[in-house]
């Protein structure tokens, strides 16, 4: 998958750890539980060492963090383009068990350009009617 490393288990686990550390100083057991919940079992070896030895400089040795706001992980432009390309393909509906209002998703991604402007307009005319 194209985004497997960008927002992998490490990023999600560390984001959860930082959220907890902003709230209160972390203890070793709490950090392990967060890693077990949000990452792979073997991730604890690298994440815990990197955080508590201050290799990543995100958590101090006392379990506090210099970060003041909870981390967010907004979608990158490439991820938005990829999602829009999938939404533009009518075959995506074959893989949905639950009904999805794809037009709403398409409207949310409207400002993202996947194709050159003229080609994008042609796709829109072929596959989408403007909402009433």
């Amino acid at each position: 998958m194209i985004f497997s490393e960008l927002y992998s288990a490490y990023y999600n686990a560390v984001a959860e750890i930082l959220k907890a550390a902003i709230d209160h100083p972390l203890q070793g057991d709490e950090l392990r539980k967060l890693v077990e919940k949000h990452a792979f079992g073997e991730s604890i070896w690298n994440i815990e060492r990197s955080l508590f030895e201050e290799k990543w400089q995100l958590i101090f040795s006392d379990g506090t963090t210099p970060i003041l706001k909870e981390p967010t992980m907004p979608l990158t432009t490439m991820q938005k383009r990829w999602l829009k390309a999938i939404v533009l393909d009518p075959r995506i509906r074959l893989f949905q068990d639950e009904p999805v209002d794809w037009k709403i998703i398409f409207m949310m991604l409207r400002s993202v350009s996947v194709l050159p402007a003229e080609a994008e307009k042609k796709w829109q005319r072929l596959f989408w009617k403007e909402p009433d």
Side-chain angles (χ1 to χ4, degrees), residues 66-113:
I67 296 173
L68 302 175
K69 295 183 179 180
E70 288 188 3
T72 60
M73 293 195 250
L75 294 175
T76 65
T77 301
M78 181 180 283
Q79 288 172 316
K80 290 177 185 176
R81 287 178 178 170
W82 180 79
L83 288 170
K84 187 169 184 179
I86 287 181
V87 169
L88 287 172
D89 187 342
R91 296 172 293 182
I92 190 65
R93 290 167 186 84
L94 298 171
F95 299 98
Q96 283 302 125
D97 292 332
E98 301 291 323
V100 174
D101 192 345
W102 290 104
K103 289 183 181 180
I104 290 174
I105 295 171
F106 179 74
M107 295 302 287
M108 290 171 27
L109 296 170
R110 172 174 251 168
S111 64
V112 179
S113 178

Side-chain angles (χ1 to χ4, degrees), residues 12-14 16-17 20 24 26-41 43-45 47-48 51-52:
N12 290 318
V14 172
E16 292 301 320
I17 290 166
H24 60 278
L26 290 177
Q27 303 300 319
D29 290 343
E30 185 178 5
L31 183 129
R32 283 187 197 98
K33 288 177 185 173
L34 288 167
V35 173
E36 287 173 5
K37 182 177 180 183
H38 298 283
F40 306 109
S43 301
I44 189 63
W45 302 111
I47 293 175
E48 184 177 28
L51 287 173
F52 278 119

